[in-house]
Every structure is written in C-alpha cells, then in structure tokens.
Amino acid sequence: MEKVIEIQHLNKAFGSHEVLKDINFSVNKGEVVCIIGSSGSGKSTLLRCVNLLEKPSGGQIIYHGEDILDDKHDVYEYRKNLGMVFQHFNLFNNHNVLNNCVVGQIKVLKRSKQDAEKVAMKYLTLVGMERFVNAKPKQLSGGQKQRVAIARALSMEPDVMLFDEPTSALDPEMVGEVLKVMKDLAQSGLTMLIVTHEMEFAREVSDRVVFMDKGVIAEEGPPEQIFNNPTEERTREFLKRTLKA
Ligand SMILES: Nc1ncnc2c1ncn2[C@@H]1O[C@H](COP(=O)(O)OP(=O)(O)O)[C@@H](O)[C@H]1O
Ligand SMILES: [Mg+2]
C-alpha cells in the first residue's frame, strides 16, 4: 500500500508543555483515518503539525517518501498538496461563494480566472452549493458555509484533505448535510485525515481510527476494534463518556 503521509516520532512542545509525544502513524493512499479523543489531547496540534501551521519540535513528517522537515523542502510547495477544513469555516467574508473557491486557485496554482471558475463550479456542485455562487458567507447557514469551505479546499485539488472537527461549530440540524458530503468524498477514494467527535460517522467511514489521549496515540485500529473491542482501558473510558453524552 502506498503511504501518502507517514509521521515518525513527532513531538511538539509549547514552552515546557509537551503537547505531542512520540506520535507515529501513517495514512495510505485512498484511506480515511479518523482521529478521536478528549478535548486538549492534541488532535488539532497534530493536524496543524501535519500541514506545518505549527513547527514540530522533533520527529519526521514523510510525504510520499520524503522528509518534508529537512531544510531542502519548500513548505509552500508541500502545503499545496493538502486541503484543510476548519471548525470555524474561515471563509473570506468579503468575497462571494464563487470567489471564495477561486482566489486560491488563481493566486497559488496560477490558474486563469476562467479555469478556476470552472473547477470551483464543479466542486460547488459536488457539495450542493452551486445555486449560491453569488451569496456572501454571512447570508449562509453554518452547514452551507462549511460545504463551501469544503468546496474551496477541493478546488485546489489536493492530494490529502485534513478536517479539524468540521461539524462541531454547527447547530445539530446542520451536522448531517456536512457529514453526508464527507461520506461521499470518503467513498470517492479521496485520502482523508479527519479529527471528529462524531463517533457514528467515524465508525462508519474510517478505514482506521486513531485514539489520542494526553498527547499520545493510546490506541489505533480498524473501527470495529476501537468501537467494539478496544484493548486499552482509556479507550473504553473515553467511549463510555462520549457515547453516553
Ligand atoms: N499555540 C499554543 N500555545 C500554547 N499551548 C497550546 C497552543 N495550541 C495548543 N496548545 C495546548 O496544547 C494542548 C492540546 O491542544 P489541542 O491540540 O488544541 O487539543 P484538541 O484539538 O485535542 O482539543 C492543550 O493543552 C492546549 O492548551
Ligand atoms: Mg481541537
């Protein structure tokens, strides 16, 4: 199986606070990996290290066989391969929906406006937001905003999509429409690394689940193992707490 991203012995400290401790895992091509764990366990920091929004304190990030932390690698080039979707959408509020999906393509990928609009329409249609091209973000519901954010990331045609709790800022009635889009993407063969607190979703779409606890990977395995038959006591405790809530 072709490894897209491989994390080896990754550490991250903020001052003397060690937030990630010896993290090791990999994501294969076409795989959907969900990261679960309590608030503060380091999930966002891990994703932010993967796309180098945070500089790791130690360890390796291997992308298609090459260590992207060594000096000869261009961070900017590397980042083009990764699409990121955040909890709070991070749309450009002064741009309409179409432009939100176009500006990055023109600026970063040097596509023509015409090409960029064509690509944007393709992905806006995929997420069911093609009728809203002229709307401004503030006219949209949270679920619609997040679908635009997903279309914007897809418009860059990334190799891997990273999601950081994309539904946790949404009203409950809007969670479903976003998870549906993500499920379709997962089935399309896209490589995805997803931090989520949606346990049903993680169980259903993951090829592998990574459970983080206090800055370490406490357990990792197929969803059947993690949810039905976890080997670690702290996984059991976490699931008991989370599924009861
Ligand atoms: N920029 C930062 N500076 C200092 N501490 C941080 C920073 N970002 C995150 N942390 C700390 O790292 C720990 C893990 O945070 P985070 O990765 O956001 O966890 P999660 O996403 O699992 O809730 C927390 O204790 C948090 O306070
Ligand atoms: Mg987080």
Side-chain angles (χ1 to χ4, degrees):
M1 237 184 301
E2 184 187 347
K3 282 180 182 163
V4 179
I5 293 176
E6 194 176 359
I7 306 293
Q8 293 179 346
H9 306 296
L10 188 81
N11 292 295
K12 175 66 185 176
F14 294 104
S16 61
H17 184 194
E18 283 194 295
V19 171
L20 297 175
K21 297 167 219 166
D22 197 26
I23 300 287
N24 297 279
F25 77 101
S26 55
V27 183
N28 296 314
K29 193 157 184 55
E31 216 177 18
V32 177
V33 176
C34 281
I35 303 174
I36 61 173
S38 304
S39 175
S41 58
K43 306 179 298 299
S44 294
T45 305
L46 177 56
L47 273 200
R48 291 170 60 81
C49 282
V50 169
N51 66 11
L52 299 182
L53 288 173
E54 296 286 355
K55 193 176 185 307
S57 310
Q60 279 91 47
I61 298 175
I62 318 281
Y63 179 69
H64 288 288
E66 295 193 41
D67 184 357
I68 51 108
L69 293 178
D70 75 20
D71 290 337
K72 72 177 198 297
H73 274 93
D74 184 342
V75 171
Y76 189 75
E77 282 300 314
Y78 165 68
R79 276 222 198 91
K80 287 184 189 172
N81 303 300
L82 309 176
M84 179 91 182
V85 175
F86 302 89
Q87 186 175 343
H88 293 287
F89 329 122
N90 298 18
L91 293 175
F92 309 120
N93 288 320
N94 53 333
H95 283 292
N96 69 20
V97 163
L98 184 63
N99 262 335
N100 262 278
C101 300
V102 159
V103 288
Q105 295 186 64
I106 293 176
K107 198 163 171 223
V108 178
L109 303 181
K110 313 293 178 207
R111 285 182 181 151
S112 71
K113 184 160 183 272
Q114 199 184 6
D115 285 351
E117 286 184 354
K118 209 165 136 190
V119 172
M121 283 312 297
K122 171 177 160 187
Y123 291 108
L124 284 167
T125 304
L126 191 77
V127 303
M129 287 300 291
E130 73 282 7
R131 287 182 298 114
F132 296 84
V133 283
N134 295 316
K136 288 281 179 64
K138 68 168 188 295
Q139 297 170 293
L140 305 176
S141 72
Q144 291 172 330
K145 278 190 236 189
Q146 197 57 299
R147 286 188 282 142
V148 171
I150 293 170
R152 178 178 62 176
L154 292 172
S155 294
M156 303 297 282
E157 303 192 305
D159 188 28
V160 183
M161 282 281 281
L162 310 177
F163 295 84
D164 191 0
E165 303 215 23
T167 61
S168 60
L170 300 177
D171 292 334
E173 68 270 27
M174 290 168 188
V175 169
E177 66 192 68
V178 172
L179 293 182
K180 166 79 169 63
V181 164
M182 292 174 66
K183 247 178 245 179
D184 291 347
L185 289 175
Q187 277 158 9
S188 78
L190 190 66
T191 308
M192 298 162 82
L193 181 57
I194 306 169
V195 173
T196 186
H197 65 277
E198 295 290 338
M199 295 303 140
E200 269 314 306
F201 171 82
R203 186 202 291 257
E204 213 179 306
V205 308
S206 305
D207 294 296
R208 232 146 17 86
V209 177
V210 170
F211 168 59
M212 284 186 68
D213 183 50
K214 301 189 179 75
V216 303
I217 294 180
E219 185 167 354
E220 173 188 343
E224 307 79 59
Q225 174 197 322
I226 300 292
F227 291 107
N228 301 346
N229 203 8
T231 55
E232 295 290 321
E233 182 56 30
R234 44 189 172 165
T235 315
R236 273 193 286 269
E237 285 297 320
F238 169 76
L239 289 172
K240 210 158 77 185
R241 265 185 285 127
T242 312
L243 297 174
K244 211 166 52 189

